[in-house]
Amino acid sequence: VDANATATATNTNADGVELTSFTAGTTGSVSGTTTSTTTATASSTDEDADATAITTNATGVTSAGGFTVGTSGALSGTASLIQSATSTTVGDAPGVDVSNALVGGTQTTYGLDIATGSTTFGTTGAVTGTTTATQTASATGTDAQADADVDVAAQTGIDLDGQTLSTGESASITAST
């Protein structure tokens, strides 16, 4: 195509489970998983090619209130990003025509976002937050400038942000990115 080519794939908000609050008398379990896949491909001849793949927010479990279980429980969240941007151009001269591929941007990825309320287990509790990211950017320019970027803003297994996580006797807390 003898013109500028632009491809943008955006996923604004991917949440596995969104809680306002959770209370269970004896035992309770909440698990949330989200996978955000964004792919952008742009190809041009004699002009610019721009491909951008962005996920603004991906969260396995987000809670806007408290999470309370009387005896024992489990709270787990997994957020995965799969992002790819590919741009190709055959230009007239480097600096005149450009091939740009961008993955990422301003995304925030949380396995568990429990920063707005306390989490309490009466006796035992298991809390697991996991994030994964597979991100690729590829830019090819023939007689053109090429730029490929992967930007990772934040990946957090468990976000407590000043909140309290408490258990009576024993707990297992695992966070990984």
Side-chain angles (χ1 to χ4, degrees):
V1 175
D2 190 6
N4 289 330
T6 302
T8 302
T10 302
N11 186 344
T12 303
N13 198 22
D15 287 328
V17 174
E18 207 170 324
L19 299 172
T20 53
S21 66
F22 179 84
T23 303
T26 304
T27 59
S29 176
V30 172
S31 178
T33 300
T34 187
T35 300
S36 176
T37 302
T38 51
T39 302
T41 303
S43 180
S44 177
T45 304
D46 288 336
E47 294 293 339
D48 294 345
D50 295 302
T52 305
I54 294 175
T55 297
T56 304
N57 180 47
T59 305
V61 173
T62 185
S63 179
F67 182 89
T68 305
V69 178
T71 304
S72 63
L75 177 60
S76 65
T78 301
S80 298
L81 296 178
I82 302 169
Q83 298 174 307
S84 174
T86 304
S87 63
T88 304
T89 191
V90 177
D92 298 318
V96 174
D97 298 312
V98 180
S99 177
N100 291 309
L102 171 65
V103 166
T106 60
Q107 86 268 357
T108 304
T109 308
Y110 298 106
L112 289 175
D113 182 5
I114 50 179
T116 56
S118 62
T119 301
T120 305
F121 299 99
T123 306
T124 59
V127 178
T128 305
T130 305
T131 62
T132 61
T134 303
Q135 298 169 299
T136 58
S138 173
T140 304
T142 304
D143 288 329
Q145 179 180 337
D147 183 32
D149 296 306
V150 174
D151 295 332
V152 178
Q155 284 191 276
T156 304
I158 300 172
D159 181 20
L160 292 172
D161 196 22
Q163 292 300 321
T164 303
L165 174 64
S166 41
T167 62
E169 292 179 14
S170 62
S172 167
I173 300 170
T174 306
S176 62
T177 59

